[in-house]
Amino acid sequence: MAQSARLVRTDGNLAAGVLSAAVVVGLGVAAVTYARDRSATRNGPIRAKAAALAAYLREHLIGSDAAIDVVERLRLTHAGSQEGRLFASLFDEFREEREVVRLLLEQIGASPVPLRHLAGHASGAALMRANGGERERGELSLFRTLESLAIGVQGKRCMWRALESLLGDQPIPSARSLGGLEAMAVRQWEAIEERRRALVSETFPALRLSAMDVPID
């Protein structure tokens, strides 16, 4: 009983912790830069829009850093399994996508380095907390991880679509087009979702709900 009552860190909790840390960092960065970026609005709407784009790309860069931290660890802990192969593939693709965002920030004259430091600190802290306790490698852990990643990939897809609306057919610093990057995000989501749904019956018991009376107004 004492053993089960002990705090247990799961891969799912790790994913949620790292991704939540990224959200916290993103909100913190937005708060810190808000006052600074307000000065840009005094110099005209064009500069204000450039500052907004930089903030938007930085937030996605932070999310990318968190996702990379998660899949890098999980590709090792699940090596040799179907999930391990999925995480290894995501690790390579997430790094490719991160580089595109980093280069876009450079092209608009915004440096991502300070934000990378903040994101690395937050995700590193989450990783240390996760390693501080025992790990339970149950199906729920993996299910939560896949669900968190699926949500993040959909957010990234929204970013590529927004950039496509903004840039049109302009060349970007990538071997892929923005449409190609969005298509890759769709494939990532489908692969993650396929594994997540396959785990439903392995994670949760079969349910047979009784009929319920629904009140009619």
Side-chain angles (χ1 to χ4, degrees):
M1 181 66 179
Q3 179 74 13
S4 61
R6 214 182 300 172
L7 180 61
V8 177
R9 301 292 186 181
T10 68
D11 286 344
N13 289 336
L14 169 65
V18 174
L19 295 175
S20 296
V23 172
V24 171
V25 172
L27 291 175
V29 169
V32 170
T33 59
Y34 174 71
R36 182 190 65 194
D37 290 343
R38 284 185 65 189
S39 63
T41 63
R42 301 190 188 101
N43 297 319
I46 293 178
R47 187 168 177 181
K49 288 182 178 180
L53 177 60
Y56 178 68
L57 292 176
R58 283 169 177 152
E59 289 163 6
H60 276 279
L61 196 69
I62 290 171
S64 177
D65 287 334
I68 290 170
D69 285 339
V70 170
V71 296
E72 181 178 22
R73 182 173 184 270
L74 296 181
R75 73 189 176 103
L76 300 176
T77 59
H78 292 81
S81 68
Q82 186 171 356
E83 287 78 17
R85 289 187 291 273
L86 171 61
F87 291 132
S89 174
L90 292 175
F91 177 69
D92 291 336
E93 292 180 353
F94 286 178
R95 288 194 301 172
E96 176 187 345
E97 293 163 323
R98 183 193 186 279
E99 182 65 4
V100 176
V101 177
R102 186 189 70 79
L103 290 172
L104 285 172
L105 277 165
E106 282 191 0
Q107 286 200 0
I108 64 174
S111 173
V113 174
L115 298 174
R116 171 59 176 160
H117 175 75
L118 288 173
H121 176 76
S123 60
L127 284 168
M128 285 191 292
R129 288 196 299 272
N131 290 331
E134 295 182 31
R135 294 178 61 245
E136 174 186 73
R137 297 192 56 183
E139 299 301 342
L140 180 58
S141 154
L142 183 56
F143 185 86
R144 285 171 171 166
T145 301
L146 292 168
E147 193 161 279
S148 296
L149 288 172
I151 293 170
V153 167
Q154 286 289 6
K156 177 177 58 185
R157 182 190 178 191
C158 290
M159 177 190 66
W160 298 134
R161 290 175 66 89
L163 289 173
E164 191 171 24
S165 296
L166 178 65
L167 299 174
D169 295 330
Q170 295 183 57
I172 61 169
S174 171
R176 306 176 194 263
S177 66
L178 287 167
L181 288 166
E182 183 193 352
M184 183 164 67
V186 171
R187 291 194 299 272
Q188 291 169 355
W189 183 87
E190 289 173 345
I192 294 169
E193 180 65 3
E194 180 182 1
R195 291 306 305 146
R196 189 187 73 88
R197 293 195 63 177
L199 285 174
V200 170
S201 61
E202 300 176 30
T203 306
F204 306 116
L207 295 180
R208 189 176 298 277
L209 301 179
S210 59
M212 299 178 63
D213 293 331
V214 179
I216 300 176
D217 293 335

